[in-house]
Amino acid sequence: MPVSIVVGLQWGDEGKGKMVDHLAAKAVAVARFSGGANAGHSVEAEGKRFALHLLPCGLVRRDVIGMIGSACVMDPVTILEEIKSLERNGISVEGRLKISSKINLTHPGYRWIEKQSEADLANGKIGTTGRGIGPTYERKFRRNAIRLEDVFNMDTFKTLVDFHTDEAVNSLNLDSAEVEMLHSDVEKFIEATREVAHYSDDVSLSIARFLAEDGLVIAEGAQGSLLDPDHGSYPYVTCGQCISGAACTSLGFGPASVTDVIGILKAYTTRVGAGPFPTELDNEIGEKIRQAGHEFGTTTGRPRRCGWFDGVLAGYTARINGCSSVTLTLLDVLSGFDELKICTGYQGGKFTTGRSMDELVPVYETLSGWTEDIRGETEWENLPEAAREYVLAVEKMVGVPVTSVSTGPGRDDVIWR
Ligand code: GTP
Ligand code: IMP
Ligand code: MG
């Protein structure tokens, strides 16, 4: 009964999409378990580049079933756009997309509410993706959110939709043109929900059936552990739980089904949005990494903040996820640096992911760089010695075997050790 969980161990954008697509070659199903269309997963395959947001990356492989768990949140309009975008690229999801009937929906008013709340926070803003993610989770826990299954009872559905439309109109200072725009978006929301209801499913039951037949199910995470609302850099976090434990809750299987927890780590660190980042390089080295790694957000296009690899944080997130192995991605981006640094501790032995995280001062170990271009390399022995030393230094800090290294965005650009 194998379930492999794939999780991000930093602040997201570690290359989970690429690795899930690589691993999906052996899977019957890939099930996304957290977040919504705030995520941007890039997959390069068949000579094309796919940008997925809520659809599981496994769908890029035509024989894989894609599922979306109940702890994700969904904007029905944007998921239909995603489905159409895949179709335009010659990939149909018909008959192989299953969305939990219990998933909570993002009403169009939530984006307006989120915009207002980010503006109200003034200097303390989180820098959200603006996709209505926070307000959707807030309403889920307030116990009056709209679930996909509500559409099967039109009276209930319409009452809920009207409630949330009125709440947005009454709590925001909208002018008449904006109210009209919101009403028009609500009509589109209703239509899209009806259309997407076609994919509604009991995801837990479907997974149980795959597992009974011994098929590999990959539970695909989104964001990264440092954006987790419990264990991340609170309050600069997202609202969906993004560590491995959340896979069981969202997809409805028990922990005993899990055979592997694969942590994905970038060879350096990036972060989008506000919040502490101890190893940030707000200088020309950070800019060099940003350009070499094309570090601009897949969802918002924002430049990602870049910094050195933080071994302390990586060790911490490997622990809270119970990682059995780690994949180190984007190693090729570090070619051409004279020297590289890894954070091995913080001054005074301090550690926190809470409100005083921005007081942490990193202590670094310096390693030699390498000049060779290693992009697309698939053999460990062919890596320059300094690159191998770098991977081993990461492994030592993380305390979990680095069993694979990604050397490019392509599906097969992977070294297995
Ligand atoms: P979130 O769920 O949004 O956190 O994203 P993600 O973890 O799926 O990562 P995302 O696709 O946003 O960003 C990773 C970027 O690096 C993408 O542009 C990938 O195509 C690219 N990429 C992945 N692995 C490698 C690699 O080993 N080398 C290089 N050069 N690019 C890579
Ligand atoms: P939200 O998820 O839109 O509420 O944004 C909360 C924080 O999480 C912001 O700092 C975002 O930039 C960050 N975030 C959300 N999703 C992703 C992601 O997929 N990759 C990187 N950062 C993300
Ligand atoms: Mg991303």
Side-chain angles (χ1 to χ4, degrees), residues 373-395:
D373 181 7
I374 59 167
R375 192 159 159 136
E377 185 54 66
T378 56
E379 297 298 326
W380 174 249
E381 286 71 26
N382 291 346
L383 285 181
E385 193 183 347
R388 278 183 273 143
E389 290 296 329
Y390 187 82
V391 176
L392 296 177
V394 165
E395 185 174 67

Side-chain angles (χ1 to χ4, degrees), residues 11-13 38-40 126-130 133 223 227 237-238 272-273 302:
W11 276 288
D13 306 318
N38 47 351
I126 308 292
T128 68
T129 59
I133 304 300
Q223 287 80 49
L227 287 171
V237 293
T238 188
V272 210
R302 289 180 288 180

Side-chain angles (χ1 to χ4, degrees), residues 3-7 9 244 258-263 318 321-326 400:
V3 175
S4 290
I5 302 179
V6 176
V7 276
L9 299 186
S244 61
V258 180
T259 46
D260 299 278
V261 179
I262 304 164
N321 283 286
C323 288
S324 46
S325 66
V326 158
V400 171

